[in-house]
Amino acid sequence: MSFRIVADSCCDRTQQMKDWTNITFVPLTLSIDDHTILDDESFDQEDFIRRTRESKNVGKSACPAPDAFAAAMDCDEDDIYVITITDKLSGTYNSALQGKMLYEEEHSGKNIHVFNSLATSGLESLVAEKITELGNSGADFNTIVETVEDYILNHTALFFNLESFDALNKNGRLYAMAATILKKLKLKLVCERTQEGSVKLSAQEFNSARAITKLASIVINEVKDNIQEQRVIISHVCCEEKANAVAQKLKDAGFGSVEVIRASGLNSLYAADGGLIISLTK
């Protein structure tokens, strides 16, 4: 059976995705002051971050409407796999479910499943790669759904280190008191996604250099076996040099595949200037 992947724009585009013809990205909308853009291939990370630096306001985001997902499902393929950002940080997952309902009200004959990635960024990319691997091997729809749901929950992880928590705080993703304390203490946090799709603290340091060293160490320790078979995606926000430094630490530790890419628009908004997001298989 033919298959298509529909992903929201929080899914960072890896090198191999550039050759895929069976993936559709549904963009979120980003805004800073009076500047509004779609989070698509035209997103200019440097320009957007420059605007956030110069503005007294914080950037905002809006999830795609259900009919945008329904339109993406109107394709020639028989099996459709939708991937979204965790429902703990965005309404996009619910919008995709509603889009599925809208599509199925007027169409039949397709298999459609919406995956809650329980994360964002490169972890969505890993999910897309896993679906493609299984689909190309000839696995059937139900097998792919069951395997990928288990893969998301038990065989992937995501960690991040941010230079600023302003966007998370002002968009209601962080308690105001916690954000104020962090800013005053100048703490650099290493956080991770939970199995419920929310965020928890893994470590803290008082400077950026120690924080990224700690981040690399935590990622390395997350993998118990077969580190050479694991894949890592490092998404960065205007800090490629820092991302490459972490990538080298992970390569030296034995990871078989480490790719550094620019974060998408939504991930750039919330990770902010200097942010790193590391997604990995385990």
mmCIF file of all heavy atoms in Angstrom, residues 119-156:
data_model
loop_
_atom_site.group_PDB
_atom_site.id
_atom_site.type_symbol
_atom_site.label_atom_id
_atom_site.label_comp_id
_atom_site.label_asym_id
_atom_site.label_seq_id
_atom_site.Cartn_x
_atom_site.Cartn_y
_atom_site.Cartn_z
ATOM 1 N N ALA A 119 6.438 15.196 21.864
ATOM 2 C CA ALA A 119 7.642 16.017 21.824
ATOM 3 C C ALA A 119 7.510 17.037 20.701
ATOM 4 O O ALA A 119 6.398 17.480 20.374
ATOM 5 C CB ALA A 119 8.879 15.139 21.641
ATOM 6 N N THR A 120 8.601 17.383 20.078
ATOM 7 C CA THR A 120 8.622 18.322 18.970
ATOM 8 C C THR A 120 9.935 18.141 18.223
ATOM 9 O O THR A 120 10.663 17.168 18.444
ATOM 10 C CB THR A 120 8.464 19.776 19.470
ATOM 11 O OG1 THR A 120 8.363 20.659 18.348
ATOM 12 C CG2 THR A 120 9.635 20.203 20.338
ATOM 13 N N SER A 121 10.225 19.035 17.309
ATOM 14 C CA SER A 121 11.544 19.166 16.693
ATOM 15 C C SER A 121 12.026 17.868 16.050
ATOM 16 O O SER A 121 11.294 17.205 15.322
ATOM 17 C CB SER A 121 12.529 19.661 17.754
ATOM 18 O OG SER A 121 13.749 20.057 17.202
ATOM 19 N N GLY A 122 13.277 17.507 16.331
ATOM 20 C CA GLY A 122 13.875 16.333 15.697
ATOM 21 C C GLY A 122 13.244 15.028 16.086
ATOM 22 O O GLY A 122 13.391 14.035 15.366
ATOM 23 N N LEU A 123 12.525 14.990 17.203
ATOM 24 C CA LEU A 123 11.863 13.727 17.539
ATOM 25 C C LEU A 123 10.745 13.432 16.549
ATOM 26 O O LEU A 123 10.544 12.279 16.160
ATOM 27 C CB LEU A 123 11.333 13.749 18.967
ATOM 28 C CG LEU A 123 11.098 12.339 19.552
ATOM 29 C CD1 LEU A 123 11.378 12.314 21.040
ATOM 30 C CD2 LEU A 123 9.712 11.833 19.269
ATOM 31 N N GLU A 124 10.041 14.461 16.108
ATOM 32 C CA GLU A 124 9.059 14.262 15.035
ATOM 33 C C GLU A 124 9.752 13.753 13.774
ATOM 34 O O GLU A 124 9.214 12.914 13.046
ATOM 35 C CB GLU A 124 8.319 15.560 14.744
ATOM 36 C CG GLU A 124 7.320 15.974 15.803
ATOM 37 C CD GLU A 124 6.445 17.113 15.341
ATOM 38 O OE1 GLU A 124 5.846 17.006 14.248
ATOM 39 O OE2 GLU A 124 6.348 18.126 16.062
ATOM 40 N N SER A 125 10.942 14.272 13.517
ATOM 41 C CA SER A 125 11.705 13.832 12.340
ATOM 42 C C SER A 125 12.067 12.358 12.449
ATOM 43 O O SER A 125 11.977 11.609 11.460
ATOM 44 C CB SER A 125 12.979 14.670 12.201
ATOM 45 O OG SER A 125 12.722 16.036 12.343
ATOM 46 N N LEU A 126 12.477 11.931 13.634
ATOM 47 C CA LEU A 126 12.804 10.515 13.845
ATOM 48 C C LEU A 126 11.578 9.637 13.617
ATOM 49 O O LEU A 126 11.681 8.543 13.054
ATOM 50 C CB LEU A 126 13.339 10.301 15.258
ATOM 51 C CG LEU A 126 14.701 10.924 15.581
ATOM 52 C CD1 LEU A 126 15.028 10.750 17.066
ATOM 53 C CD2 LEU A 126 15.801 10.314 14.721
ATOM 54 N N VAL A 127 10.421 10.116 14.046
ATOM 55 C CA VAL A 127 9.173 9.375 13.833
ATOM 56 C C VAL A 127 8.886 9.257 12.337
ATOM 57 O O VAL A 127 8.522 8.181 11.835
ATOM 58 C CB VAL A 127 8.007 10.042 14.572
ATOM 59 C CG1 VAL A 127 6.680 9.387 14.196
ATOM 60 C CG2 VAL A 127 8.219 9.972 16.078
ATOM 61 N N ALA A 128 9.068 10.346 11.608
ATOM 62 C CA ALA A 128 8.844 10.321 10.156
ATOM 63 C C ALA A 128 9.797 9.336 9.483
ATOM 64 O O ALA A 128 9.402 8.584 8.575
ATOM 65 C CB ALA A 128 9.029 11.715 9.578
ATOM 66 N N GLU A 129 11.049 9.320 9.935
ATOM 67 C CA GLU A 129 12.017 8.387 9.363
ATOM 68 C C GLU A 129 11.648 6.940 9.675
ATOM 69 O O GLU A 129 11.824 6.048 8.837
ATOM 70 C CB GLU A 129 13.415 8.724 9.893
ATOM 71 C CG GLU A 129 13.956 10.045 9.368
ATOM 72 C CD GLU A 129 15.309 10.420 9.940
ATOM 73 O OE1 GLU A 129 15.867 9.636 10.738
ATOM 74 O OE2 GLU A 129 15.813 11.501 9.579
ATOM 75 N N LYS A 130 11.135 6.706 10.877
ATOM 76 C CA LYS A 130 10.733 5.344 11.251
ATOM 77 C C LYS A 130 9.547 4.882 10.416
ATOM 78 O O LYS A 130 9.514 3.726 9.947
ATOM 79 C CB LYS A 130 10.375 5.300 12.740
ATOM 80 C CG LYS A 130 10.125 3.890 13.272
ATOM 81 C CD LYS A 130 11.397 3.047 13.212
ATOM 82 C CE LYS A 130 11.212 1.703 13.907
ATOM 83 N NZ LYS A 130 12.450 0.880 13.812
ATOM 84 N N ILE A 131 8.569 5.747 10.231
ATOM 85 C CA ILE A 131 7.420 5.403 9.394
ATOM 86 C C ILE A 131 7.885 5.052 7.980
ATOM 87 O O ILE A 131 7.421 4.065 7.379
ATOM 88 C CB ILE A 131 6.412 6.571 9.354
ATOM 89 C CG1 ILE A 131 5.770 6.761 10.733
ATOM 90 C CG2 ILE A 131 5.335 6.321 8.294
ATOM 91 C CD1 ILE A 131 4.967 8.043 10.854
ATOM 92 N N THR A 132 8.784 5.848 7.448
ATOM 93 C CA THR A 132 9.295 5.623 6.093
ATOM 94 C C THR A 132 10.045 4.299 5.998
ATOM 95 O O THR A 132 9.868 3.538 5.034
ATOM 96 C CB THR A 132 10.209 6.787 5.675
ATOM 97 O OG1 THR A 132 9.450 7.998 5.675
ATOM 98 C CG2 THR A 132 10.791 6.565 4.299
ATOM 99 N N GLU A 133 10.863 4.011 6.998
ATOM 100 C CA GLU A 133 11.587 2.736 7.027
ATOM 101 C C GLU A 133 10.611 1.560 7.003
ATOM 102 O O GLU A 133 10.778 0.614 6.223
ATOM 103 C CB GLU A 133 12.453 2.673 8.290
ATOM 104 C CG GLU A 133 13.133 1.330 8.529
ATOM 105 C CD GLU A 133 13.700 1.209 9.937
ATOM 106 O OE1 GLU A 133 14.081 2.235 10.534
ATOM 107 O OE2 GLU A 133 13.733 0.069 10.455
ATOM 108 N N LEU A 134 9.590 1.630 7.838
ATOM 109 C CA LEU A 134 8.616 0.537 7.916
ATOM 110 C C LEU A 134 7.766 0.460 6.655
ATOM 111 O O LEU A 134 7.492 -0.627 6.130
ATOM 112 C CB LEU A 134 7.725 0.721 9.142
ATOM 113 C CG LEU A 134 8.417 0.576 10.504
ATOM 114 C CD1 LEU A 134 7.514 1.096 11.615
ATOM 115 C CD2 LEU A 134 8.787 -0.885 10.757
ATOM 116 N N GLY A 135 7.331 1.625 6.165
ATOM 117 C CA GLY A 135 6.507 1.649 4.961
ATOM 118 C C GLY A 135 7.234 1.102 3.753
ATOM 119 O O GLY A 135 6.673 0.336 2.954
ATOM 120 N N ASN A 136 8.498 1.478 3.626
ATOM 121 C CA ASN A 136 9.293 0.988 2.489
ATOM 122 C C ASN A 136 9.611 -0.495 2.599
ATOM 123 O O ASN A 136 9.892 -1.144 1.591
ATOM 124 C CB ASN A 136 10.588 1.787 2.377
ATOM 125 C CG ASN A 136 10.355 3.207 1.888
ATOM 126 O OD1 ASN A 136 9.301 3.523 1.333
ATOM 127 N ND2 ASN A 136 11.324 4.077 2.108
ATOM 128 N N SER A 137 9.555 -1.041 3.811
ATOM 129 C CA SER A 137 9.818 -2.472 3.998
ATOM 130 C C SER A 137 8.590 -3.323 3.703
ATOM 131 O O SER A 137 8.670 -4.557 3.691
ATOM 132 C CB SER A 137 10.280 -2.741 5.431
ATOM 133 O OG SER A 137 9.197 -2.632 6.344
ATOM 134 N N GLY A 138 7.438 -2.655 3.493
ATOM 135 C CA GLY A 138 6.216 -3.385 3.181
ATOM 136 C C GLY A 138 5.331 -3.684 4.367
ATOM 137 O O GLY A 138 4.338 -4.418 4.237
ATOM 138 N N ALA A 139 5.640 -3.123 5.537
ATOM 139 C CA ALA A 139 4.807 -3.355 6.722
ATOM 140 C C ALA A 139 3.404 -2.799 6.486
ATOM 141 O O ALA A 139 3.229 -1.773 5.822
ATOM 142 C CB ALA A 139 5.434 -2.690 7.946
ATOM 143 N N ASP A 140 2.398 -3.458 7.050
ATOM 144 C CA ASP A 140 1.030 -2.995 6.861
ATOM 145 C C ASP A 140 0.693 -1.863 7.825
ATOM 146 O O ASP A 140 1.437 -1.571 8.762
ATOM 147 C CB ASP A 140 0.035 -4.147 7.012
ATOM 148 C CG ASP A 140 0.058 -4.781 8.401
ATOM 149 O OD1 ASP A 140 -0.156 -4.066 9.397
ATOM 150 O OD2 ASP A 140 0.292 -5.999 8.498
ATOM 151 N N PHE A 141 -0.453 -1.229 7.602
ATOM 152 C CA PHE A 141 -0.858 -0.031 8.350
ATOM 153 C C PHE A 141 -0.889 -0.292 9.855
ATOM 154 O O PHE A 141 -0.309 0.467 10.642
ATOM 155 C CB PHE A 141 -2.226 0.438 7.862
ATOM 156 C CG PHE A 141 -2.759 1.645 8.577
ATOM 157 C CD1 PHE A 141 -2.333 2.917 8.243
ATOM 158 C CD2 PHE A 141 -3.697 1.512 9.602
ATOM 159 C CE1 PHE A 141 -2.810 4.044 8.908
ATOM 160 C CE2 PHE A 141 -4.186 2.617 10.274
ATOM 161 C CZ PHE A 141 -3.743 3.891 9.926
ATOM 162 N N ASN A 142 -1.564 -1.337 10.281
ATOM 163 C CA ASN A 142 -1.700 -1.608 11.715
ATOM 164 C C ASN A 142 -0.356 -1.900 12.377
ATOM 165 O O ASN A 142 -0.115 -1.466 13.522
ATOM 166 C CB ASN A 142 -2.660 -2.771 11.951
ATOM 167 C CG ASN A 142 -4.096 -2.417 11.615
ATOM 168 O OD1 ASN A 142 -4.492 -1.253 11.702
ATOM 169 N ND2 ASN A 142 -4.877 -3.413 11.211
ATOM 170 N N THR A 143 0.508 -2.605 11.672
ATOM 171 C CA THR A 143 1.841 -2.891 12.204
ATOM 172 C C THR A 143 2.636 -1.608 12.386
ATOM 173 O O THR A 143 3.313 -1.403 13.404
ATOM 174 C CB THR A 143 2.601 -3.850 11.282
ATOM 175 O OG1 THR A 143 1.901 -5.089 11.209
ATOM 176 C CG2 THR A 143 4.017 -4.094 11.789
ATOM 177 N N ILE A 144 2.549 -0.716 11.396
ATOM 178 C CA ILE A 144 3.268 0.550 11.479
ATOM 179 C C ILE A 144 2.752 1.390 12.643
ATOM 180 O O ILE A 144 3.534 1.949 13.423
ATOM 181 C CB ILE A 144 3.167 1.329 10.148
ATOM 182 C CG1 ILE A 144 3.953 0.588 9.060
ATOM 183 C CG2 ILE A 144 3.682 2.760 10.305
ATOM 184 C CD1 ILE A 144 3.840 1.197 7.681
ATOM 185 N N VAL A 145 1.447 1.471 12.801
ATOM 186 C CA VAL A 145 0.870 2.251 13.899
ATOM 187 C C VAL A 145 1.329 1.714 15.242
ATOM 188 O O VAL A 145 1.789 2.464 16.109
ATOM 189 C CB VAL A 145 -0.673 2.267 13.811
ATOM 190 C CG1 VAL A 145 -1.280 2.839 15.095
ATOM 191 C CG2 VAL A 145 -1.128 3.073 12.602
ATOM 192 N N GLU A 146 1.217 0.412 15.425
ATOM 193 C CA GLU A 146 1.595 -0.203 16.701
ATOM 194 C C GLU A 146 3.088 -0.023 16.978
ATOM 195 O O GLU A 146 3.494 0.323 18.104
ATOM 196 C CB GLU A 146 1.246 -1.693 16.683
ATOM 197 C CG GLU A 146 1.574 -2.415 17.980
ATOM 198 C CD GLU A 146 1.195 -3.884 17.935
ATOM 199 O OE1 GLU A 146 0.554 -4.317 16.946
ATOM 200 O OE2 GLU A 146 1.547 -4.608 18.882
ATOM 201 N N THR A 147 3.908 -0.240 15.960
ATOM 202 C CA THR A 147 5.357 -0.140 16.138
ATOM 203 C C THR A 147 5.788 1.285 16.445
ATOM 204 O O THR A 147 6.625 1.525 17.328
ATOM 205 C CB THR A 147 6.086 -0.640 14.871
ATOM 206 O OG1 THR A 147 5.693 -1.978 14.598
ATOM 207 C CG2 THR A 147 7.595 -0.574 15.052
ATOM 208 N N VAL A 148 5.219 2.236 15.729
ATOM 209 C CA VAL A 148 5.621 3.640 15.898
ATOM 210 C C VAL A 148 5.121 4.213 17.227
ATOM 211 O O VAL A 148 5.820 5.004 17.868
ATOM 212 C CB VAL A 148 5.155 4.483 14.698
ATOM 213 C CG1 VAL A 148 5.422 5.970 14.941
ATOM 214 C CG2 VAL A 148 5.874 4.028 13.433
ATOM 215 N N GLU A 149 3.941 3.822 17.666
ATOM 216 C CA GLU A 149 3.471 4.283 18.977
ATOM 217 C C GLU A 149 4.426 3.812 20.077
ATOM 218 O O GLU A 149 4.752 4.561 21.007
ATOM 219 C CB GLU A 149 2.050 3.781 19.250
ATOM 220 C CG GLU A 149 0.970 4.436 18.400
ATOM 221 C CD GLU A 149 0.661 5.877 18.826
ATOM 222 O OE1 GLU A 149 1.387 6.430 19.672
ATOM 223 O OE2 GLU A 149 -0.289 6.451 18.283
ATOM 224 N N ASP A 150 4.875 2.570 19.986
ATOM 225 C CA ASP A 150 5.844 2.050 20.953
ATOM 226 C C ASP A 150 7.190 2.758 20.807
ATOM 227 O O ASP A 150 7.860 3.056 21.808
ATOM 228 C CB ASP A 150 6.016 0.539 20.749
ATOM 229 C CG ASP A 150 7.080 -0.051 21.656
ATOM 230 O OD1 ASP A 150 6.839 -0.122 22.875
ATOM 231 O OD2 ASP A 150 8.157 -0.418 21.144
ATOM 232 N N TYR A 151 7.576 3.039 19.577
ATOM 233 C CA TYR A 151 8.846 3.730 19.286
ATOM 234 C C TYR A 151 8.862 5.116 19.936
ATOM 235 O O TYR A 151 9.844 5.504 20.582
ATOM 236 C CB TYR A 151 8.975 3.838 17.773
ATOM 237 C CG TYR A 151 10.202 4.536 17.241
ATOM 238 C CD1 TYR A 151 11.444 3.908 17.249
ATOM 239 C CD2 TYR A 151 10.106 5.805 16.679
ATOM 240 C CE1 TYR A 151 12.569 4.527 16.718
ATOM 241 C CE2 TYR A 151 11.215 6.435 16.145
ATOM 242 C CZ TYR A 151 12.442 5.801 16.174
ATOM 243 O OH TYR A 151 13.546 6.423 15.636
ATOM 244 N N ILE A 152 7.779 5.859 19.808
ATOM 245 C CA ILE A 152 7.687 7.194 20.395
ATOM 246 C C ILE A 152 7.850 7.127 21.905
ATOM 247 O O ILE A 152 8.600 7.915 22.509
ATOM 248 C CB ILE A 152 6.334 7.846 20.041
ATOM 249 C CG1 ILE A 152 6.271 8.184 18.548
ATOM 250 C CG2 ILE A 152 6.089 9.102 20.878
ATOM 251 C CD1 ILE A 152 4.886 8.606 18.069
ATOM 252 N N LEU A 153 7.167 6.192 22.516
ATOM 253 C CA LEU A 153 7.118 6.120 23.972
ATOM 254 C C LEU A 153 8.377 5.521 24.593
ATOM 255 O O LEU A 153 8.860 5.999 25.627
ATOM 256 C CB LEU A 153 5.906 5.295 24.393
ATOM 257 C CG LEU A 153 5.468 5.388 25.857
ATOM 258 C CD1 LEU A 153 5.080 6.813 26.223
ATOM 259 C CD2 LEU A 153 4.310 4.435 26.117
ATOM 260 N N ASN A 154 8.935 4.507 23.953
ATOM 261 C CA ASN A 154 9.981 3.714 24.614
ATOM 262 C C ASN A 154 11.354 3.731 23.947
ATOM 263 O O ASN A 154 12.325 3.270 24.557
ATOM 264 C CB ASN A 154 9.517 2.255 24.721
ATOM 265 C CG ASN A 154 8.266 2.120 25.558
ATOM 266 O OD1 ASN A 154 8.194 2.628 26.671
ATOM 267 N ND2 ASN A 154 7.263 1.425 25.016
ATOM 268 N N HIS A 155 11.455 4.253 22.735
ATOM 269 C CA HIS A 155 12.728 4.150 22.021
ATOM 270 C C HIS A 155 13.245 5.484 21.492
ATOM 271 O O HIS A 155 14.122 5.508 20.616
ATOM 272 C CB HIS A 155 12.593 3.142 20.876
ATOM 273 C CG HIS A 155 12.202 1.774 21.340
ATOM 274 N ND1 HIS A 155 13.082 0.912 21.959
ATOM 275 C CD2 HIS A 155 10.997 1.133 21.338
ATOM 276 C CE1 HIS A 155 12.463 -0.209 22.284
ATOM 277 N NE2 HIS A 155 11.197 -0.097 21.930
ATOM 278 N N THR A 156 12.711 6.585 21.993
ATOM 279 C CA THR A 156 13.193 7.912 21.621
ATOM 280 C C THR A 156 13.271 8.781 22.870
ATOM 281 O O THR A 156 12.640 8.493 23.887
ATOM 282 C CB THR A 156 12.270 8.599 20.602
ATOM 283 O OG1 THR A 156 10.948 8.707 21.155
ATOM 284 C CG2 THR A 156 12.209 7.830 19.290
#
